[in-house]
Amino acid sequence: MNGLMMHKQMLISSLIIHADRHHGDTEIVSRRVEGDLHRYTFRDCHRRARQLANALANLDVKPSDRVGTLAWNGYRHMELYYGVSGRGAVMHTINPRLHEDQVVYIADHAEDKYIFFDLTFLPLVQAIAARCTTVKAFVAMTDRAHMPEDCGIANLLCYEDLLEDSSPDYEWPSLDEDSASTLCYTSGTTGNPKGVLYSHRSTLLHTFAAALPDALNCSSRDTILPVVPMFHVNAWGIPYIACMVGAKLVFPGPALDGKSLYELFEAEQVTLSAGVPTVWQGLLGYVEQNGLAFSNMKRTVIGGAACSPSMLRTFQEDHGVQVLHAWGMTELSPLGTVGTLKSRHSTMSAIDRHAVQCKQGRAVFGVDMKIVDQDGAELPWNGQTSGELLVRGPWVVRNYFRSEDGNPLRIDGGAHGWFPTGDVATIDADGFMQITDRSKDVIKSGGEWIGSIELENIAMAHPAVSQAACIGAKHAKWDERPLLIVVRKPEADLTGEQMRMFYEGKVAKWWIPDDVVFVDAVPLGATGKILKNRLREQFGDHLLGGAH
Ligand code: ADP
């Protein structure tokens, strides 16, 4: 017997309809590429998203057609999120920090029909326009007054003109909730970028789960500033969550330096933010150098790469900002786990509590996870035994978009597939997962694994260290040994030997890096993560006495 409840399809358009109807006056504030601060409401956003949906019909964008964007976090990008997906086309956010060849590869692979771009990316569009064979036109996300002239792009349209010519009378179509809504490519640090194609249903379920109190804990009392870009796994779902809960949104546009961010946090009284660790370093540095404080910031989500204990301590103890350490992947929409404490942790000492919070956290409802050994046998949740992390759930990828490599899933018992994350982790008795490494970054010394993240976390706790990365460097006797690469803080004094001494008593002797290399900067990928493969290319032979 079936239940007798309505079978309303879960659609992205329902989020903006809800935001308009129940939180219509709530603001969306955006730093524009044009330089000024733009302010409007969810109601305005909904009206313009409907205008955009009509404009897309005039451009002959059909259901399932891909519409690409090269854009910062801002209100026009938000309108595209809803206008494109809402009318049944596929919103495809492209990371503009990628190399232009990769942008061309991605636009081509996705078969984007149009690409909308912020003016900042005009030089990129000029460089790629002729090579993007499926793209009918590029749309500059600006008004007529700011349109570039004689820029050599054959089919160039103006966003505000498109909207001006289109009516806001538009009825969002009733789509199948399983239809594709959004497309994101992995950043390609492990080969060619792969497309992850989300559905309306997977997006809505992810939004419900991500907003929960033990996840991002979002409500209509929040003002959320996503520093994480809308081209990095949909800003971790924040543009959807804000509509679901009616939170005020603040978009930083292109101004991501510590000073600009801090001023926006304060002016708009931001309560919650989210971003990768490298972004927070810039902000914390600015705040500390100028003796400033956050007046209303309550929580920040740190993910995409491990949050070091020193960063966690600085946020929580120096600034009273709670850190939500989260783990996820493009393939998980992205949220998998969040390090929110359980009530029994409240009686722990601050040091013990911090150690728990530095783990990547507990699975949010909907994501099931396990760790397995090399033969696929499940390993115990004892906080010690590490193995490959596998996940499954309704917002986990089943297959990549137009993939030639076959299904990535690991079939278990024939009934359910598990997605192999490529991460190596432990899980403790409370269900807190801790990443020790990505499988490709694991250091294998004499057949034993050394966790690079733990070695980096220790280095980051040294007062003279600004950034640290640990790689497996080739070694004549042990195959690989840890090599630490360090960026010192400005004017800080630190020798390799002092750095190595700092590890004494903190890890087993054989874990201590064999050598320390000081550099001016570490290479960062398109989403702000340290590119360890680049470091391995550069310093992999260092311990053999090779050139570097
Ligand atoms: P890419 O694989 O191109 O870096 P993603 O943004 O999808 O793109 O990265 C997902 C990976 O980032 C995870 O598999 C994991 O290795 C790493 N990661 C994400 N969050 C964390 C975290 N909190 N701690 C450590 N690693 C993390």
Side-chain angles (χ1 to χ4, degrees):
M1 182 161 61
N2 286 340
L4 291 173
M5 309 310 283
M6 290 187 191
H7 203 273
K8 192 169 181 297
Q9 301 296 297
M10 288 196 219
L11 299 179
I12 286 178
S13 55
S14 67
L15 292 168
I16 192 74
I17 293 170
H18 173 85
D20 177 347
R21 199 166 161 79
H22 300 277
H23 306 278
D25 294 337
T26 300
E27 278 186 316
I28 300 175
V29 181
S30 310
R31 165 99 54 209
R32 290 208 280 202
V33 170
E34 293 91 336
D36 57 345
L37 217 55
H38 174 272
R39 209 174 270 281
Y40 74 171
T41 64
F42 277 127
R43 186 159 300 133
D44 299 324
C45 178
H46 187 201
R47 191 190 62 251
R48 283 171 50 94
R50 296 194 311 269
Q51 283 175 276
L52 177 65
N54 276 326
L56 293 171
N58 296 337
L59 291 174
D60 196 31
V61 172
K62 301 212 161 50
S64 302
D65 278 351
R66 271 76 68 197
V67 175
T69 61
L70 289 164
W72 299 110
N73 293 5
Y75 67 103
R76 291 181 180 124
H77 209 174
M78 179 87 170
E79 291 157 11
L80 281 151
Y81 262 52
Y82 285 97
V84 173
S85 301
R87 77 178 309 274
V90 176
M91 172 72 177
H92 173 209
T93 52
I94 309 175
N95 187 333
R97 293 187 186 132
L98 291 171
H99 187 271
E100 62 184 54
D101 290 345
Q102 270 187 321
V103 174
V104 171
Y105 170 86
I106 290 173
D108 209 44
H109 189 268
E111 298 177 326
D112 287 332
K113 200 162 180 177
Y114 290 91
I115 291 182
F116 287 66
F117 68 98
D118 269 333
L119 286 179
T120 319
F121 305 116
L122 179 64
L124 173 62
V125 172
Q126 285 171 313
I128 64 170
R131 297 165 65 197
C132 293
T133 50
T134 63
V135 176
K136 285 174 68 172
F138 290 85
V139 184
M141 292 160 68
T142 190
D143 55 20
R144 178 61 36 202
H146 292 86
M147 278 299 279
E149 278 166 27
D150 303 328
C151 63
I153 300 168
N155 300 311
L156 183 67
L157 302 172
C158 169
Y159 185 86
E160 291 299 335
D161 281 359
L162 292 179
L163 257 64
E164 213 165 278
D165 297 341
S166 306
S167 152
D169 293 332
Y170 183 82
E171 208 49 60
W172 296 110
S174 175
L175 308 166
D176 176 349
E177 64 183 18
D178 283 321
S179 56
S181 62
T182 323
L183 178 62
C184 289
Y185 280 72
T186 61
S187 51
T189 43
T190 49
N192 259 342
K194 294 192 276 287
V196 181
L197 188 63
Y198 312 110
S199 68
H200 286 262
R201 179 174 188 273
S202 72
T203 305
L204 269 269
L205 289 173
H206 178 269
T207 308
F208 276 116
L212 283 172
D214 271 8
L216 271 48
N217 187 13
C218 299
S219 79
S220 59
R221 285 148 324 268
D222 276 314
T223 296
I224 313 179
L225 186 153
V227 182
V228 53
M230 289 166 85
F231 54 75
H232 186 196
V233 213
N234 302 319
W236 302 348
I238 290 171
Y240 304 121
I241 298 170
C243 283
M244 182 176 274
V245 303
K248 173 177 164 181
L249 269 175
V250 183
F251 287 130
L256 300 176
D257 61 288
K259 181 173 189 289
S260 310
L261 282 177
Y262 177 79
E263 286 169 2
L264 203 53
F265 275 109
E266 286 305 297
E268 299 301 326
Q269 290 288 286
V270 171
T271 60
L272 171 67
S273 189
V276 296
T278 42
V279 162
W280 298 130
Q281 251 176 337
L283 178 66
L284 285 176
Y286 175 78
V287 168
E288 272 156 34
Q289 276 152 28
N290 296 283
L292 303 168
F294 295 104
S295 60
N296 207 33
M297 179 86 144
K298 307 221 165 29
R299 308 180 301 292
T300 189
V301 184
I302 304 185
C307 168
S308 70
S310 54
M311 180 173 284
L312 188 122
R313 256 196 318 275
T314 308
F315 262 120
Q316 296 199 161
E317 290 184 358
D318 299 353
H319 299 292
V321 176
Q322 185 200 355
V323 169
L324 299 171
H325 190 195
W327 167 86
M329 303 180 76
T330 309
E331 287 89 338
L332 269 84
S333 309
L335 199 59
T337 63
V338 185
T340 317
L341 296 172
K342 292 182 168 177
S343 55
R344 70 176 204 80
H345 295 118
S346 59
T347 52
M348 279 182 166
S349 69
I351 291 180
D352 289 346
R353 250 199 332 267
H354 285 169
V356 178
Q357 283 189 287
C358 283
K359 297 188 175 195
Q360 276 68 17
R362 294 183 279 133
V364 291
F365 172 78
V367 172
D368 193 9
M369 64 183 181
K370 66 176 179 179
I371 42 173
V372 296
D373 67 14
Q374 277 159 359
D375 303 322
E378 185 161 2
L379 294 168
W381 291 21
N382 57 17
Q384 298 294 324
T385 316
S386 68
E388 188 184 1
L389 180 68
L390 308 185
V391 292
R392 63 182 177 192
W395 56 83
V396 177
V397 71
R398 185 172 74 223
N399 210 340
Y400 291 106
F401 181 55
R402 299 186 56 216
S403 152
E404 288 96 42
D405 303 337
N407 187 330
L409 298 194
R410 214 58 81 68
I411 304 300
D412 175 30
H416 296 288
W418 287 84
F419 173 72
T421 63
D423 286 325
V424 180
T426 61
I427 306 178
D428 69 19
D430 282 320
F432 279 76
M433 183 272 287
Q434 179 160 31
I435 305 250
T436 53
D437 243 318
R438 287 184 122 174
S439 39
K440 62 183 190 325
D441 291 337
V442 156
I443 302 165
K444 292 178 209 91
S445 173
E448 299 280 347
W449 284 6
I450 295 177
S452 65
I453 293 182
E454 188 172 346
L455 295 178
E456 287 158 8
N457 282 345
I458 293 171
M460 290 294 287
H462 193 289
V465 172
S466 162
Q467 268 179 320
C470 197
I471 59 162
K474 291 191 203 97
H475 191 276
K477 181 167 176 199
W478 301 108
D479 293 337
E480 273 180 11
R481 287 293 302 154
L483 174 71
L484 188 72
I485 292 139
V486 168
V487 181
R488 277 179 287 228
K489 284 197 179 148
E491 282 154 50
D493 220 9
L494 178 69
T495 65
E497 212 32 50
Q498 286 166 338
M499 187 71 249
R500 290 182 72 251
M501 290 288 288
F502 192 66
Y503 281 95
E504 297 278 346
K506 297 189 175 82
V507 287
K509 267 207 165 358
W510 62 278
W511 273 47
I512 298 178
D514 276 24
D515 201 2
V516 181
V517 178
F518 293 99
V519 293
D520 293 336
V522 283
L524 296 182
T527 53
K529 303 187 201 187
I530 296 174
L531 288 176
K532 290 220 190 154
N533 51 353
R534 193 76 64 74
L535 289 173
R536 275 193 292 268
E537 278 164 26
Q538 211 179 343
F539 297 110
D541 292 338
H542 178 82
L543 299 176
L544 302 175
H548 55 266

